[in-house]
Amino acid sequence: MAKPQHSWGLAPETPASPRTMRTLRKIQSHQVLSTSNALIAQTQASRASESYSTDHESAGLPGAATRARAHRRARSNSDAATREAAAAPPTATHRRPARKTGSGIGLKRSLLENFLRDGPPNGDPREGLQELKYLVLSSRVDADGDGMSPYRIYLWLILLDIPPMPTDDYLALIHRGRSPAYAKIRNDTFRTLATDPLFKRRVTEASLIRLLNAVAWKLHDSKPKPRSRPTSSRRREMELLVNTPPSIAEETTFGGELESINSGATSDSAIYVQGMNVLCAPFLYAARSEVEAFALFHYFVTRECPGYIRGAMDGVHKGLRLVDRCLEVVEPKLAAYLFSKGMHAELYAFPSVLTLCACTPPLPEVLHLWDFLFAYGPHLNILCIVAQLIRMRDMIFESPSPNKILRSFPPLDAREIIALTVLIVRKIPEDLYAEMINHAK
């Protein structure tokens, strides 16, 4: 895989633990999103946030004008860079085609791209990561109409802190042939985003099969090996141990083995579950090579949401319960109405939780939503689903059968969903937010 042009690291040379550091960053993201109004000030013209803030001022949320006046940037260096970039004339070598999207947004996009290329101005990776997150939050990644961006994949690799992967490692997995999950994979890949012409035009089914099959081999290799069958002498010792009082058995070296054998305890991690094909699709669509997509997808399912790919999918079911609980906190009337109709999240939000909303078109908006989720934590997908329900509340209240409306969510609007998510995250209690962070583990 071609190494990204950026070379600055995002973690200290001797981190305590990658998982611990990632969890701390997620908790810090909650604090930033709960106290910062950077996005709110820039999206106050959004219809969703205006409607929501107007209807909820009585519930304690400040109005958009008050939030805009209270907005202050904490880092003056980035402000200075913005003013200098605005004052400096564009050079001929870096001039890009003009886009009629507003000078402010165009400037932010240029700053984001330059930041990825040059790294943090002061050379501090920690402060640079926070500034990078702010740029993602306050502006969209510059992309064409199909959602393609030359630097988005590098942004994801940085935000998830994934090192370059040798191409030979991926090819070695491909050359192993069919994995034990190959038949299940082939049964799902042809249906992956079948109605999305953008995905079908860019990603072939063959590449999707190769990547999922390689991930299945990788997960298969990481599963614990089965224990060898005890020999005759050890079997007799264990038979004697069965008749030993439990207090003595616990002090015997065979106690752990006997308990494991009697209970048949094995790892319940699957090497493929239905839905992984849809979760994998945006990675392949945005990546510049299969190796990049493989590195991102394998990291994501093993580090960010291993609970989503277990045989029982317990992480997904926890996420569904969290959707209901968060909706009760943010929109109690809407939650009560849905519950009175027997409509809990497990009936309509399962695909959205499992795939991080990748099941809802259009795909370019999914990519913009994932920029935000990778910057501040994929656990915020729970609140993104709640935000979509809030945007649908008028239709839900007017319908005697909300299940018909919730069968398919309206097309994604990443900008409005992100703006609304930043608004409602302030209402989530810390203990509930901690459950959101850990629900997919």
Side-chain angles (χ1 to χ4, degrees):
M1 181 182 69
K3 186 175 181 180
Q5 296 179 7
H6 51 76
S7 58
W8 47 280
L10 297 179
E13 296 182 357
T14 56
S17 168
R19 178 168 296 181
T20 301
M21 294 302 297
R22 182 66 175 164
T23 302
L24 291 176
R25 288 199 296 269
K26 289 178 180 178
I27 296 175
Q28 184 184 31
S29 297
H30 179 221
Q31 297 172 350
V32 172
L33 291 176
S34 299
T35 58
S36 174
N37 298 303
L39 181 64
I40 301 171
Q42 298 207 12
T43 57
Q44 55 184 342
S46 169
R47 293 190 300 272
S49 60
E50 282 184 344
S51 174
Y52 185 78
S53 60
T54 301
D55 295 343
H56 290 76
E57 285 184 356
S58 59
L61 284 176
T66 303
R67 291 191 300 272
R69 287 194 299 268
H71 166 60
R72 292 293 185 272
R73 285 285 302 281
R75 290 178 293 276
S76 59
N77 290 340
S78 58
D79 290 334
T82 302
R83 291 192 295 270
E84 292 173 2
T91 60
T93 55
H94 296 288
R95 177 171 296 177
R96 305 184 64 183
R99 299 186 58 170
K100 297 180 180 180
T101 56
S103 58
I105 295 178
L107 178 61
K108 288 292 184 181
R109 290 176 179 174
S110 177
L111 286 176
L112 178 58
E113 186 173 4
N114 291 338
F115 192 90
L116 285 172
R117 185 185 66 242
D118 302 332
N122 58 358
D124 185 352
R126 288 185 178 275
E127 184 177 346
L129 180 59
Q130 296 303 317
E131 180 67 14
L132 181 62
K133 290 181 177 181
Y134 171 78
L135 290 174
V136 172
L137 184 64
S138 59
S139 63
R140 290 163 68 97
V141 171
D142 196 5
D144 59 20
D146 293 345
M148 301 308 300
S149 169
Y151 61 87
R152 167 176 277 127
I153 195 65
Y154 302 129
L155 172 68
W156 290 2
L157 291 168
I158 293 173
L159 292 173
L160 295 177
D161 197 12
I162 300 177
M165 177 183 177
T167 303
D168 290 344
D169 292 355
Y170 178 69
L171 293 177
L173 295 170
I174 297 298
H175 293 158
R176 291 174 64 174
R178 299 182 178 184
S179 70
Y182 182 80
K184 294 181 179 180
I185 293 172
R186 288 301 303 270
N187 194 42
D188 288 341
T189 51
F190 72 94
R191 297 178 292 193
T192 304
L193 303 184
T195 60
D196 193 318
L198 294 178
F199 179 77
K200 290 297 183 182
R201 184 164 63 240
R202 178 171 175 83
V203 180
T204 65
E205 184 183 1
S207 63
L208 190 60
I209 293 172
R210 283 194 299 268
L211 193 149
L212 290 171
N213 193 69
V215 170
W217 273 125
K218 195 76 171 178
L219 296 176
H220 177 271
D221 295 343
S222 65
K223 290 173 68 69
K225 300 297 185 293
R227 295 180 181 273
S228 58
R229 188 173 181 179
T231 60
S232 299
S233 59
R234 292 187 63 189
R235 189 181 299 113
R236 285 195 295 271
E237 291 180 282
M238 297 178 70
E239 289 173 354
L240 292 174
L241 188 61
V242 172
N243 300 321
T244 306
S247 59
I248 301 177
E250 291 176 357
E251 301 174 359
T252 312
T253 56
F254 297 105
E257 286 188 31
L258 181 64
E259 181 182 357
S260 176
I261 294 175
N262 288 340
S263 63
T266 57
S267 173
D268 61 348
S269 297
I271 62 176
Y272 179 81
V273 295
Q274 191 172 16
M276 286 176 65
N277 56 314
V278 180
L279 183 61
C280 173
F283 290 113
L284 266 175
Y285 185 83
R288 301 168 70 91
S289 70
E290 285 185 29
V291 181
E292 292 173 335
F294 172 85
L296 281 161
F297 182 65
H298 178 259
Y299 169 89
F300 194 79
V301 297
T302 56
R303 299 292 182 87
E304 294 293 338
C305 59
Y308 284 11
I309 64 169
R310 295 194 184 103
M313 292 186 175
D314 55 319
V316 179
H317 292 290
K318 290 178 182 178
L320 293 170
R321 291 190 291 269
L322 285 170
V323 171
D324 286 334
R325 293 172 59 189
C326 291
L327 186 62
E328 282 186 296
V329 172
V330 178
E331 277 284 349
K333 291 184 179 179
L334 178 59
Y337 180 75
L338 289 175
F339 297 163
S340 68
K341 300 292 184 179
M343 294 299 296
H344 293 269
E346 62 183 4
L347 298 179
Y348 61 83
F350 190 96
S352 297
V353 173
L354 174 61
T355 66
L356 269 69
C357 295
C359 59
T360 305
L363 188 54
E365 293 298 305
V366 172
L367 301 181
H368 285 301
L369 185 63
W370 279 25
D371 296 336
F372 167 71
L373 293 178
F374 292 163
Y376 288 92
H379 57 281
L380 287 174
N381 180 54
I382 300 298
L383 297 185
C384 290
I385 297 172
V386 173
Q388 293 177 75
L389 294 173
I390 293 174
R391 297 185 67 219
M392 300 165 60
R393 61 183 174 182
D394 292 339
M395 293 188 297
I396 293 175
F397 280 134
E398 294 171 0
S399 174
S401 301
N403 60 315
K404 295 181 180 180
I405 298 177
L406 295 176
R407 286 176 183 173
S408 60
F409 284 11
L412 283 180
D413 188 325
R415 186 185 297 275
E416 295 195 4
I417 292 173
I418 293 170
L420 193 51
T421 299
V422 174
L423 282 173
I424 65 181
V425 73
R426 302 165 62 196
K427 301 187 67 175
I428 304 299
E430 291 185 4
D431 57 341
L432 183 57
Y433 194 87
E435 291 186 46
M436 286 173 50
I437 292 177
N438 296 317
H439 80 277
K441 302 304 182 183

